[in-house]
Amino acid sequence: MKIGLIINPIAGMGGKVGLKGTDGNLYEKAIALGANPISINRTMEFLNNLHLYDKFTFLVPNGIMGEHVIRQSKIKKFLVINCAHSEFKTDKYDTINCAKTMSNQIDVLVFSGGDGTARDIYDAIKESVPVIGIPSGVKMYSAVFAKSPRDAAITLENYYYKNVNVKLKEVLDIDEDEFRKNKLVIRLYGYMKSFSSDGMVASGKQAVISIDEDEIEGISNYLKEIMLPNLIYIVGPGSTTYNVFKKIGIEKTLLGVDVIKNYEIIKRDANEKEILNLINNERSNIIVTPIGGQGFLFGRGNQQISPEVIKLVGRENIIVISTRSKINSLKYLFVDTGDPKVDELLRGYIKIIVGYRQEKIMKII
């Protein structure tokens, strides 16, 4: 089986530093803020989890988009395609050109990146080749991504054994300029062939259609009872957290991570470094809500709440809130922090506040 592999080497670098993406000229800003590459390590994790690697021949772009990584991996059967304009720099046109170049030579295209990379792949190949996205971006709202690099490897091997079905799945377009202005603008960009598998995201992120005011008020009243003075609260993004804290009287950002103490925001739209500095030697809690339609608590759009932050706070100090309509559409919750040990620490059953003194138990897998 021939597998195309394309890496967006700058994908995901804006996450921990709070940039919400690396489109356009934000790559340089991410570097200036101390961001580190994400997608290369995530791709190596995918390759290291392949057990049937001798059954696959990989086609990879020259340079940093594939060749450099594959040569450092255990994969021995690969071909280098000279489709990138440079060994060390890349842009969306390289992604599009490489995907087009390999599309008629491969059985599956695996790409490492986020929603922006998924859109570029769609522009190149439409519905011609099944794809698996290795989640490496800031946002992975489209439905073509595996739940983790390991799940991407399992899905590929299941396809080799014909144990998964191919179906059309959504590619979503998120306006990054609006996203950075605290507005979530999502539209359906198109459909690509991907896989119906437990290891894949079942559907794209659901847009918020309506908010149940009674549920929001119930959750906010419950939080007011349990939030303690002089305790730091790291509050994740999302319409649920935004509306709950608005009811409390705190104008948090819709899409950023805010740090709250004594009912005041002490750091708005904080990055990982700022959070770590604020919670050092301080008692702290994390408040998050799952992504609608997907169920991720960590690792999608809130990478500022990093494994290091989670370890400092402790699993026992994580508070999950959700409306009933969102949580009832989910079978399980998921985490993909980038640190397998932290993911394992988080797995298991957790309480979710769904109303005033009302909780539901769900499993994180």
Side-chain angles (χ1 to χ4, degrees), residues 254-308:
L254 175 64
L255 302 170
V257 174
D258 299 333
V259 184
I260 294 169
K261 186 176 184 180
N262 294 326
Y263 292 96
E264 291 186 0
I265 295 179
I266 60 173
K267 185 60 188 177
R268 189 179 299 275
D269 205 4
N271 61 38
E272 178 205 27
K273 185 177 179 180
E274 291 166 336
I275 295 169
L276 288 170
N277 287 338
L278 285 168
I279 66 175
N280 187 32
N281 297 320
E282 292 269 0
R283 293 186 305 147
S284 54
N285 280 9
I286 294 169
I287 300 176
V288 288
T289 188
I291 291 180
Q294 295 188 348
F296 277 95
L297 287 178
F298 297 106
R300 300 291 187 274
N302 62 1
Q303 287 92 338
Q304 306 94 311
I305 308 176
S306 66
E308 290 72 24

Side-chain angles (χ1 to χ4, degrees), residues 42-43 45-47 49-50 56 108 110-111 132-135 144-159 195 197 199-200:
R42 302 282 274 176
T43 305
E45 185 181 345
F46 158 75
L47 294 171
N49 275 284
L50 284 175
F56 304 129
V108 180
V110 180
F111 70 91
I132 301 173
I134 302 170
V144 297
F145 288 97
K147 291 171 182 170
S148 69
R150 178 177 176 271
D151 285 321
I154 292 170
T155 300
L156 182 60
E157 293 181 336
N158 283 339
Y159 183 57
F195 299 98
S197 163
M200 299 291 291

Side-chain angles (χ1 to χ4, degrees), residues 81-315:
I81 309 295
N82 290 312
C83 54
H85 80 279
S86 166
E87 262 199 78
F88 298 101
K89 290 187 176 181
T90 179
D91 57 34
K92 65 179 292 182
Y93 303 105
D94 290 319
T95 300
I96 292 169
N97 184 49
C98 289
K100 281 182 178 177
T101 301
M102 18 172 111
S103 62
N104 62 354
Q105 306 176 57
I106 56 177
D107 300 295
V108 180
L109 177 57
V110 180
F111 70 91
S112 184
D115 282 317
T117 313
R119 296 195 304 271
D120 294 339
I121 297 290
Y122 170 81
D123 287 339
I125 69 170
K126 298 296 190 289
E127 301 168 12
S128 61
V129 179
V131 302
I132 301 173
I134 302 170
S136 306
V138 175
K139 309 169 299 300
M140 278 72 68
Y141 291 159
S142 301
V144 297
F145 288 97
K147 291 171 182 170
S148 69
R150 178 177 176 271
D151 285 321
I154 292 170
T155 300
L156 182 60
E157 293 181 336
N158 283 339
Y159 183 57
Y160 177 83
Y161 285 122
K162 298 181 171 56
N163 289 334
V164 293
N165 296 319
V166 176
K167 63 181 291 187
L168 291 176
K169 302 186 79 173
E170 310 102 313
V171 178
L172 300 181
D173 181 34
I174 291 86
D175 188 315
E176 286 214 359
D177 290 332
E178 293 298 307
F179 195 74
R180 284 184 284 272
K181 294 175 187 174
N182 213 33
K183 297 177 183 177
L184 184 57
V185 179
I186 300 177
R187 69 182 177 92
L188 179 63
Y189 196 72
Y191 292 92
M192 283 197 289
K193 289 180 180 177
S194 192
F195 299 98
S196 179
S197 163
D198 286 342
M200 299 291 291
V201 171
S203 63
K205 173 179 167 51
Q206 293 176 347
V208 177
I209 298 173
S210 63
I211 292 290
D212 187 311
E213 291 294 334
D214 289 338
E215 288 185 12
I216 292 296
E217 187 162 2
I219 295 168
S220 67
N221 287 337
Y222 193 17
L223 279 185
K224 281 191 286 187
E225 284 190 2
I226 65 175
M227 288 177 70
L228 300 175
N230 300 316
L231 195 70
I232 286 178
Y233 292 89
I234 303 155
V235 185
S239 58
T240 303
T241 51
Y242 173 82
N243 284 291
V244 164
F245 277 86
K246 189 174 182 179
K247 282 282 186 186
I248 292 173
I250 301 171
E251 287 285 340
K252 82 169 298 295
T253 57
L254 175 64
L255 302 170
V257 174
D258 299 333
V259 184
I260 294 169
K261 186 176 184 180
N262 294 326
Y263 292 96
E264 291 186 0
I265 295 179
I266 60 173
K267 185 60 188 177
R268 189 179 299 275
D269 205 4
N271 61 38
E272 178 205 27
K273 185 177 179 180
E274 291 166 336
I275 295 169
L276 288 170
N277 287 338
L278 285 168
I279 66 175
N280 187 32
N281 297 320
E282 292 269 0
R283 293 186 305 147
S284 54
N285 280 9
I286 294 169
I287 300 176
V288 288
T289 188
I291 291 180
Q294 295 188 348
F296 277 95
L297 287 178
F298 297 106
R300 300 291 187 274
N302 62 1
Q303 287 92 338
Q304 306 94 311
I305 308 176
S306 66
E308 290 72 24
V309 171
I310 292 167
K311 284 186 285 188
L312 267 181
V313 173
R315 188 191 194 277

Side-chain angles (χ1 to χ4, degrees), residues 7-15 21-24 26-28 30-31 35-40 64 88-92 112-113 117 136-138:
I7 302 168
N8 177 354
I10 67 171
M13 291 181 66
T22 47
D23 284 4
L26 284 178
Y27 168 65
E28 288 80 8
I31 291 292
N36 294 309
I38 301 294
S39 57
I40 290 171
I64 199 169
F88 298 101
K89 290 187 176 181
T90 179
D91 57 34
K92 65 179 292 182
S112 184
T117 313
S136 306
V138 175

